[in-house]
Amino acid sequence: MKKTFIIAEAGVNHNGSLSVAKKLVKAAVDAGADAVKFQTFTADEIVCQNAPKASYQNKTTQKKESQYEMLKKLELSPSDHVKIADYCRKKGILFISTPFDIKGVALLDEKIKVPFLKVASGEITNAPLLLKIAATGRPCVLSTGICNLKEVRQALAVLAYGYAVKNTRTPHRGLIKKSCTKKAIEALKNRVTLLHCTSEYPAPIADINLRAMEALKNEFGLPVGLSDHSQGIVVPIAAVALGAVMIEKHFTLDKSLEGPDHKASLEPSELKAMITAIREVELSLGDGLKKPKASEQKNRDVIRKSLVARRQIKRGEVFSEANLTCKRPGTGISPMEYWDYIGKKASRHYQEGELI
């Protein structure tokens, strides 16, 4: 079975500090993650200065500051990105990041050369950004929080167009509409992974709706995983059991730190526990073939039963329900032949409890 790809989402939990970012990388490595993911943006490019914060952000950051002010403190410079990516290479873990603007895409594609690009749920309607991402030719992972199937299809259409034309020339809606076809989206199979997501922090368990992964897979035929914002590790483990090919989960060095995402994140020990559990679930899923395993074969004769004399049976006596029963061990004649023996004559003498 192919291993689930696990992304440890550092996000902005570095609080703008390069040294903290490196500590997060090390924690992701120690936990056994396949990749560690950050966020690439400049506040000036992605948010108006008077834009409000989300309700959960007001609870976890200073209420008086705007979203712009909050994000400004959480930026990583281009040189920080390069240093973190280099550190990831030294530590043997993939560096991934989510670009929130065109400049971020260019940095991640041209300078850092990430293996794939991540699209945040909030950017799924950002057609120019989607087009720029597809034009790089790099695979991408698309989160689908706050989305219906129509919106996912529209985003995939932009990506399909961008991959096809391999440039960012301005398309008209007719060209994008042509990319909404089933054939066009099928062309994304080796390029796009969809992540089901519930965009609340933390996400209520009752709102996770893991079965939506199946709806996404059935509708688009693309690989599907989960970007999880719930508290704890139960939900991502369940997602793997349901077939998620990728898990993305926020983590932090300390949940008590100030910042928008710390409280909805896992601490390093929890991240390690989640990954360990996921790997165990993968092993337990097996190959799907129903056949005895080597470990259980030794118990076969111990737990199965055989035809046994219920009482003493004389030679020539007819086998009946009165003198024939089924008991362990299973080293004799299978009870599946019980009715074949009823009415037959015993060919020899049997003691009570003796295998037939």
Side-chain angles (χ1 to χ4, degrees), residues 1-7 32 34 225-226 236 239-241 243-248 278-279 281-282 285:
M1 178 181 174
K2 190 174 181 181
K3 286 175 59 178
T4 306
F5 191 85
I6 300 176
I7 301 173
D34 297 298
L226 177 72
V240 172
V245 301
M246 181 179 287
I247 295 293
E248 178 185 271
I278 284 174
R279 298 307 180 211
V281 167
E282 289 171 338
L285 290 174

Side-chain angles (χ1 to χ4, degrees), residues 292-344:
K293 295 295 183 180
S295 63
E296 62 180 338
Q297 286 281 18
K298 63 182 181 296
N299 299 320
R300 180 180 181 275
D301 292 341
V302 175
I303 65 174
R304 289 188 177 182
K305 294 179 178 177
S306 302
L307 294 183
V308 174
R310 185 187 293 273
R311 55 170 174 76
Q312 187 181 81
I313 302 173
K314 295 180 179 180
R315 180 179 178 181
E317 185 178 343
V318 175
F319 289 118
S320 68
E321 293 180 6
N323 62 20
L324 199 61
T325 189
C326 306
K327 290 185 178 182
R328 292 175 180 173
T331 54
I333 296 169
S334 169
M336 279 292 181
E337 298 185 41
Y338 178 80
W339 294 288
D340 293 333
Y341 273 75
I342 297 295
K344 286 186 176 180

Side-chain angles (χ1 to χ4, degrees), residues 207-228:
D207 290 344
I208 298 297
N209 192 22
L210 283 178
R211 289 193 178 99
M213 292 193 305
E214 186 176 359
L216 287 168
K217 185 176 181 179
N218 291 340
E219 181 71 17
F220 304 112
L222 299 174
V224 175
L226 177 72
S227 177
D228 180 47

